[in-house]
Amino acid sequence: MAETTAPGILAGKRGLIMGVANNRSIAWGIAQAARKHGAELALTYQGEALKKRVEPLAKELDAAVVGHCDVTDGATIDAVFDEVGKLWGSLDFVVHCIAFSDKDELTGRYVDTSEGNFSKSLLISCYSFTAIAQRAEKLMKDGGSLLTLTYYGAEKWMPHYNVMGVAKAALEASVRYLAADLGPQNIRVNAISAGPIKTLAASGIGDFRYILKWNEYNSPLRRTVTIEEVGDTAAYLVSDMARGMTGEILHVDAGYHVVGMKNPEAPDLSLDKD
Ligand SMILES: NC(=O)c1ccc[n+]([C@@H]2O[C@H](COP(=O)([O-])OP(=O)(O)OC[C@H]3O[C@@H](n4cnc5c(N)ncnc54)[C@H](O)[C@@H]3O)[C@@H](O)[C@H]2O)c1
């Protein structure tokens, strides 16, 4: 019988992962999985404080650190892509795990959103993916793959998600528009809609522990998901295994998005304040 060799599904691929803040970040779960499946990686960081966290993590994966990127400053996005160009000359995939909203507006009512925070949240959480696609396209001469992270709050009302729900809905629409624009160059554009996971960004959302418990009791798999699970799906989506997929929003949420009503067997939950 012929011996099977199993090179990783990302062997020979080079990818830029944006949005690692610490070892609980979804971007870190994706970086670990991409490396495990054979990719060569580069990471960015946002500001000096995160640089200190990202550098040792990058080392664990033999990944390059290609600099500071604050997506509100286009020059820093240019600098990062210049660095990637110098390092590799081309790029196979980019993973965008970046979102922000003022914590004070991730509680209470959406109707009270301020104009300033609306603009800032949409700029960082939605437009940045398009800004990154513009730069990535130039390095993806032989095609490539762009991936972003979204949440079910884009599709349905979720408590306290507020302006982030609106930003994620716009992000999901931009996945479709970018997929159509970049498809002819064989650049695929997809998103993962992840279930709730306790990360730095998530800790800014009001009553997050309640949301986690609710998902655990009511999702078909009766649990929440991990950054490793999101990571494995991301590795698949940016690999040639998913070469026929673009414009897709794939749910990695233990099935929660198919549920229409509380599981009758789930205990009643009371608000447990953080
Ligand atoms: N944690 C969840 O429950 C969950 C669920 C679904 C989707 N997501 C999405 O996953 C992505 C990653 O978030 P996470 O939960 O891993 O949290 P995280 O706090 O670990 O990551 C958020 C990242 O966004 C970066 N960021 C924020 N503003 C930025 C800016 N101006 N310029 C550059 N980078 C900036 C931060 O530096 C950080 O690395 C986000 O898009 C988030 O909305 C999270």
Side-chain angles (χ1 to χ4, degrees):
M1 206 167 78
E3 202 171 294
T4 53
T5 51
I9 56 172
L10 292 175
K13 302 248 186 241
R14 288 165 159 169
L16 174 65
I17 299 197
M18 308 178 77
V20 175
N22 55 41
N23 63 2
R24 288 184 294 136
S25 294
I26 294 176
W28 176 240
I30 295 174
Q32 286 178 295
R35 184 66 185 152
K36 181 179 78 185
H37 292 286
E40 197 177 335
L41 300 176
L43 309 183
T44 59
Y45 57 86
Q46 183 201 4
E48 284 303 306
L50 293 186
K51 181 182 183 190
K52 292 191 189 78
R53 289 191 184 273
V54 171
E55 279 179 343
L57 290 173
K59 214 168 168 193
E60 281 183 37
L61 303 182
D62 295 319
V65 178
V66 287
H68 157 72
C69 180
D70 184 325
V71 294
T72 62
D73 176 1
T76 67
I77 312 178
D78 285 333
V80 157
F81 278 86
D82 284 350
E83 203 53 40
V84 171
K86 273 188 236 152
L87 188 67
W88 292 330
S90 66
L91 185 59
D92 298 301
F93 65 91
V94 181
V95 181
H96 167 274
C97 298
I98 292 173
F100 175 84
S101 177
D102 182 344
K103 196 171 180 285
D104 294 342
E105 297 198 9
L106 292 178
T107 187
R109 308 188 312 165
Y110 168 71
V111 71
D112 298 321
T113 303
S114 66
E115 183 183 333
N117 185 52
F118 185 96
S119 301
K120 194 169 179 192
S121 303
L122 270 281
L123 173 67
I124 297 174
S125 315
C126 174
Y127 179 71
S128 65
F129 187 50
T130 300
I132 284 162
Q134 290 167 359
R135 277 80 170 180
E137 181 186 10
K138 298 191 180 84
L139 289 175
M140 292 181 168
K141 300 265 186 281
D142 301 320
S145 178
L146 304 175
L147 180 67
T148 188
L149 264 294
T150 183
Y151 178 57
Y152 192 49
E155 299 169 61
K156 301 281 179 187
W157 172 86
M158 284 287 171
H160 309 304
Y161 205 53
N162 297 351
V163 67
M164 278 307 302
V166 176
K168 293 297 194 194
L171 179 67
E172 292 186 9
S174 35
V175 166
R176 294 184 277 273
Y177 278 83
L178 291 168
D181 285 348
L182 301 175
Q185 288 104 275
N186 197 28
I187 298 173
R188 301 183 296 106
V189 187
N190 295 293
I192 289 176
S193 184
I197 300 175
K198 199 164 173 33
T199 61
L200 195 61
S203 63
I205 299 166
D207 298 323
F208 192 72
R209 286 218 298 237
Y210 178 92
I211 294 168
L212 273 177
K213 271 280 164 213
W214 181 274
N215 274 260
E216 184 188 322
Y217 288 137
N218 292 289
S219 67
L221 296 180
R222 299 287 188 271
R223 62 177 179 83
T224 53
V225 294
T226 64
I227 62 169
E228 288 77 16
E229 289 170 330
V230 176
D232 279 341
T233 302
Y236 153 72
L237 272 178
V238 299
S239 80
D240 292 343
M241 300 273 286
R243 64 194 174 280
M245 289 171 67
T246 194
E248 190 66 82
I249 315 287
L250 208 51
H251 294 84
V252 181
D253 64 350
Y256 184 79
H257 68 287
V258 305
V259 169
M261 184 178 161
K262 178 180 172 292
N263 163 22
E265 285 159 25
D268 290 324
L269 290 173
S270 57
L271 277 182
D272 180 12
K273 291 288 176 195
D274 287 323

Coordinates of all heavy atoms in Angstrom, one line a residue, residues 19-22 24-27 46 50 69-72 97-100 124 149-151 161 164 168 194-197 199-202 208, ligand 1:
G19 N -4.3 41.2 15.2 CA -5.3 41.2 16.3 C -4.9 40.4 17.5 O -5.8 40.1 18.3
V20 N -3.7 39.9 17.6 CA -3.3 39.2 18.8 C -3.0 40.2 19.9 O -2.2 41.2 19.7 CB -2.0 38.4 18.6 CG1 -1.5 37.7 19.9 CG2 -2.2 37.3 17.5
A21 N -3.8 40.1 21.0 CA -3.5 41.0 22.1 C -2.8 40.2 23.3 O -2.0 40.7 24.0 CB -4.8 41.6 22.6
N22 N -3.2 38.9 23.4 CA -2.7 38.1 24.5 C -3.0 36.6 24.1 O -3.6 36.4 23.0 CB -3.2 38.5 25.8 CG -4.7 38.5 25.9 OD1 -5.4 37.6 25.3 ND2 -5.3 39.4 26.5
R24 N -5.3 34.8 25.1 CA -6.7 34.4 25.0 C -7.4 35.0 23.8 O -8.5 34.7 23.5 CB -7.4 35.0 26.3 CG -7.0 34.2 27.5 CD -7.8 34.7 28.8 NE -7.4 36.0 29.1 CZ -8.3 37.0 29.5 NH1 -9.5 36.8 29.5 NH2 -7.8 38.2 29.8
S25 N -6.6 35.7 23.0 CA -7.2 36.3 21.7 C -7.6 35.2 20.7 O -6.9 34.2 20.6 CB -6.1 37.2 21.0 OG -5.8 38.3 21.8
I26 N -8.7 35.4 20.0 CA -9.1 34.5 19.0 C -8.0 34.5 17.9 O -7.6 33.4 17.4 CB -10.4 34.9 18.4 CG1 -11.5 34.8 19.4 CG2 -10.7 34.1 17.1 CD1 -12.9 35.3 19.0
A27 N -7.3 35.6 17.7 CA -6.2 35.7 16.7 C -5.1 34.7 17.1 O -4.4 34.1 16.2 CB -5.7 37.1 16.6
Q46 N -0.8 46.2 18.4 CA -1.3 47.5 18.5 C -0.6 48.2 19.7 O -1.1 48.0 20.8 CB -2.8 47.5 18.6 CG -3.4 48.9 18.6 CD -4.8 49.0 19.2 OE1 -5.3 47.9 19.7 NE2 -5.4 50.1 19.2
L50 N 1.1 46.2 23.9 CA 0.8 44.8 23.4 C 2.1 44.2 22.7 O 2.2 43.0 22.6 CB -0.3 44.9 22.4 CG -1.7 45.2 23.1 CD1 -2.8 45.1 22.0 CD2 -2.0 44.3 24.2
C69 N 0.5 48.3 14.3 CA -0.6 48.7 13.4 C -1.8 49.2 14.2 O -2.4 48.4 15.0 CB -1.0 47.5 12.5 SG -2.3 48.0 11.3
D70 N -2.1 50.4 14.0 CA -3.3 51.0 14.5 C -4.2 51.3 13.3 O -3.8 52.2 12.5 CB -3.1 52.2 15.4 CG -4.4 52.7 16.0 OD1 -5.4 52.6 15.4 OD2 -4.3 53.2 17.2
V71 N -5.3 50.6 13.1 CA -6.0 50.8 11.8 C -6.6 52.1 11.7 O -7.1 52.4 10.6 CB -7.0 49.6 11.7 CG1 -6.4 48.3 11.5 CG2 -8.1 49.6 12.8
T72 N -6.6 53.0 12.7 CA -7.1 54.3 12.5 C -6.1 55.2 11.9 O -6.3 56.4 11.5 CB -7.6 55.0 13.9 OG1 -6.4 55.1 14.7 CG2 -8.6 54.2 14.6
C97 N -8.6 40.2 13.0 CA -9.3 40.0 14.2 C -9.3 41.2 15.0 O -8.8 41.3 16.2 CB -8.7 38.9 15.0 SG -8.6 37.3 14.2
I98 N -9.9 42.3 14.5 CA -9.8 43.6 15.1 C -11.2 44.2 15.2 O -12.0 44.2 14.3 CB -9.0 44.5 14.1 CG1 -7.5 44.0 14.1 CG2 -9.1 46.0 14.5 CD1 -6.6 44.7 13.1
A99 N -11.5 44.7 16.4 CA -12.8 45.3 16.7 C -12.6 46.3 17.9 O -11.8 46.0 18.8 CB -13.9 44.3 17.0
F100 N -13.4 47.3 17.9 CA -13.4 48.2 19.1 C -14.7 49.0 19.1 O -15.2 49.4 18.1 CB -12.2 49.2 18.9 CG -12.2 50.3 20.0 CD1 -11.6 50.0 21.3 CD2 -12.9 51.5 19.9 CE1 -11.7 50.9 22.3 CE2 -12.9 52.4 20.9 CZ -12.3 52.1 22.1
I124 N -12.9 51.2 12.9 CA -12.0 50.1 13.4 C -12.5 48.7 13.1 O -11.8 47.8 12.7 CB -11.7 50.3 14.9 CG1 -11.0 51.7 15.2 CG2 -10.9 49.2 15.5 CD1 -10.8 52.0 16.6
L149 N -13.5 38.2 11.5 CA -14.3 37.6 12.6 C -15.5 38.4 12.9 O -15.4 39.6 13.0 CB -13.4 37.6 13.9 CG -12.7 36.3 14.2 CD1 -13.6 35.2 14.6 CD2 -11.8 35.9 13.1
T150 N -16.7 37.7 12.9 CA -17.9 38.4 13.2 C -18.7 37.7 14.3 O -18.2 36.8 14.9 CB -18.7 38.6 11.9 OG1 -19.9 39.3 12.2 CG2 -19.1 37.2 11.3
Y151 N -19.9 38.2 14.6 CA -20.6 37.6 15.7 C -22.1 37.7 15.3 O -22.6 38.5 14.6 CB -20.4 38.4 17.0 CG -21.2 37.9 18.2 CD1 -21.1 36.6 18.6 CD2 -22.0 38.8 18.9 CE1 -21.8 36.2 19.7 CE2 -22.7 38.4 20.0 CZ -22.6 37.1 20.4 OH -23.4 36.6 21.5
Y161 N -24.9 44.5 22.8 CA -23.9 44.5 21.7 C -24.0 45.8 20.9 O -23.0 46.2 20.3 CB -24.2 43.2 20.8 CG -22.9 42.8 20.0 CD1 -21.7 42.5 20.7 CD2 -23.0 42.6 18.7 CE1 -20.6 42.1 20.0 CE2 -21.8 42.2 18.0 CZ -20.7 42.0 18.6 OH -19.5 41.6 18.0
M164 N -21.8 47.6 18.0 CA -21.0 46.5 17.5 C -21.8 45.6 16.6 O -21.3 45.0 15.6 CB -20.3 45.6 18.6 CG -19.0 46.2 19.2 SD -17.8 46.6 18.0 CE -17.6 45.0 17.2
K168 N -20.8 44.9 12.8 CA -20.6 43.5 12.3 C -21.5 43.3 11.1 O -21.1 42.5 10.2 CB -20.8 42.5 13.4 CG -19.8 42.5 14.6 CD -18.4 42.2 14.1 CE -17.5 41.9 15.3 NZ -16.0 41.8 14.8
A194 N -18.1 33.6 15.3 CA -17.7 32.8 16.5 C -18.7 33.0 17.6 O -19.3 34.1 17.8 CB -16.3 33.3 17.0
G195 N -18.9 32.0 18.3 CA -19.8 32.1 19.5 C -19.0 32.9 20.6 O -17.8 33.1 20.4
P196 N -19.6 33.3 21.7 CA -19.0 34.1 22.7 C -17.8 33.4 23.4 O -17.9 32.2 23.7 CB -20.1 34.4 23.7 CG -21.1 33.4 23.5 CD -21.0 33.0 22.0
I197 N -16.7 34.1 23.5 CA -15.5 33.5 24.1 C -14.9 34.6 25.0 O -14.9 35.8 24.6 CB -14.4 33.2 23.1 CG1 -14.9 32.1 22.1 CG2 -13.1 32.7 23.7 CD1 -14.0 31.8 20.9
T199 N -12.6 36.9 26.1 CA -11.3 37.6 25.7 C -11.3 39.0 26.3 O -12.3 39.5 26.8 CB -11.2 37.7 24.2 OG1 -12.3 38.5 23.7 CG2 -11.3 36.3 23.5
L200 N -10.2 39.7 26.0 CA -10.1 41.1 26.4 C -11.3 41.9 25.9 O -11.9 42.7 26.6 CB -8.8 41.6 26.0 CG -8.3 42.9 26.6 CD1 -8.1 42.8 28.1 CD2 -6.9 43.4 25.9
A201 N -11.5 41.8 24.5 CA -12.5 42.6 23.9 C -13.9 42.3 24.5 O -14.7 43.1 24.7 CB -12.5 42.4 22.4
A202 N -14.1 41.0 24.7 CA -15.4 40.5 25.1 C -15.7 41.0 26.6 O -16.9 41.3 26.9 CB -15.5 39.0 25.1
F208 N -21.5 39.9 30.1 CA -20.9 38.9 29.2 C -21.0 37.4 29.8 O -21.2 36.5 29.1 CB -19.5 39.2 28.9 CG -19.0 38.4 27.7 CD1 -19.4 38.6 26.4 CD2 -18.0 37.4 27.9 CE1 -19.0 37.8 25.4 CE2 -17.6 36.6 26.9 CZ -18.1 36.8 25.6
Ligands
LIG1 N1 -14.7 37.1 22.0 C1 -15.9 36.9 21.4 O1 -16.8 36.5 22.1 C2 -16.0 37.1 20.0 C3 -17.1 36.5 19.3 C4 -17.3 36.7 17.9 C5 -16.4 37.6 17.3 N2 -15.4 38.2 17.9 C6 -14.4 39.0 17.2 O2 -13.1 38.5 17.2 C7 -12.2 39.5 16.9 C8 -11.0 39.4 17.9 O3 -11.5 39.7 19.2 P1 -11.1 38.9 20.5 O4 -12.4 38.5 21.2 O5 -10.1 37.9 20.2 O6 -10.5 40.0 21.5 P2 -9.0 40.6 21.7 O7 -9.2 41.7 22.7 O8 -8.1 39.5 22.1 O9 -8.7 41.1 20.3 C9 -9.1 42.4 19.8 C10 -8.0 43.0 19.0 O10 -8.4 44.2 18.3 C11 -7.2 45.0 18.3 N3 -7.6 46.4 18.0 C12 -8.6 47.2 18.6 N4 -8.5 48.4 18.1 C13 -7.5 48.4 17.1 C14 -7.0 49.4 16.3 N5 -7.4 50.7 16.3 N6 -5.9 49.1 15.5 C15 -5.5 47.8 15.4 N7 -5.9 46.8 16.2 C16 -6.9 47.1 17.1 C17 -6.6 44.8 19.7 O11 -5.3 45.3 19.7 C18 -6.8 43.4 19.9 O12 -5.6 42.7 19.5 C19 -13.0 40.8 17.0 O13 -13.3 41.2 15.7 C20 -14.2 40.4 17.8 O14 -15.3 41.3 17.5 C21 -15.2 37.9 19.3

